Amino acid sequence: MITPEVTAFAERSVLAWLATVDASGCPNVSPKEVFSVFDSRWFVIANIASPASVRNLAENSQACLSFIDLFVQKGFKVKGRAEVIARDRDDFALWAEPLEKITQGRFPIRSVIVLTPDSIEPIVAPSYRLYPSETTEKSQAMAAMKAYGVVSARWQMPDKPSP
């Protein structure tokens, strides 16, 4: 279910949001800096400082992970069931390995949240649907870079003519 396209977007997204729900139905959305695709079948998410997410998943395993490439304004929403792998479990190191590669030991991984997808849907900015003939990934990236005042090696800004 996790296609190469989904994996590519996950790899280039610098932040994801994990949505969980407690036993009473109260939602919680928590930003996640450290997440990865694992074996093309699961998403692994580092629990660095997410007690509410872990507590909610103990009560209700339903979760949704969303991530986008901020510049092209596309990404994916992944819904499924999540399990929390505690540090004291025998298989913790296996699940934590791709996350440890990302953190290089900078952040303590308290546990690993393993999300098994039931569905994966694209997220796209409305411009792609409202103005399909003029909206491209490059046009979205160029507009975002202008708005944020940044330059990207991936999406080169056109050179300005010399005066």
Side-chain angles (χ1 to χ4, degrees), residues 48-68:
I48 295 168
S50 301
S53 296
V54 170
R55 186 174 49 251
N56 287 353
L57 290 171
E59 298 172 350
N60 182 340
S61 66
Q62 292 291 322
C64 179
L65 183 71
S66 298
F67 49 90
I68 64 166

Side-chain angles (χ1 to χ4, degrees), residues 8-124:
F9 270 90
E11 288 174 351
R12 68 187 205 219
S13 297
V14 297
L15 191 64
W17 295 267
L18 181 68
T20 59
V21 180
D22 70 14
S24 70
C26 185
N28 178 66
V29 177
S30 180
K32 305 297 178 205
E33 281 185 86
V34 182
F35 63 99
S36 182
V37 172
F38 186 94
D39 197 26
S40 300
R41 296 174 51 199
W42 301 280
F43 284 88
V44 288
I45 304 130
N47 167 21
I48 295 168
S50 301
S53 296
V54 170
R55 186 174 49 251
N56 287 353
L57 290 171
E59 298 172 350
N60 182 340
S61 66
Q62 292 291 322
C64 179
L65 183 71
S66 298
F67 49 90
I68 64 166
D69 177 318
L70 181 63
F71 290 101
V72 301
Q73 299 174 37
K74 285 183 176 179
F76 289 92
K77 175 172 52 175
V78 182
K79 293 180 183 177
R81 295 199 178 273
E83 177 183 4
V84 178
I85 309 296
R87 286 194 76 81
D88 61 358
R89 278 195 27 182
D90 291 341
D91 58 349
F92 175 82
L94 173 74
W95 292 108
E97 181 181 5
L99 304 172
E100 296 285 1
K101 286 180 182 175
I102 294 168
T103 66
Q104 297 290 305
R106 279 191 77 209
F107 299 101
I109 298 176
R110 300 180 193 289
S111 60
V112 175
I113 299 166
V114 178
L115 177 63
T116 303
D118 290 329
S119 68
I120 300 176
E121 302 171 28
I123 297 172
V124 296

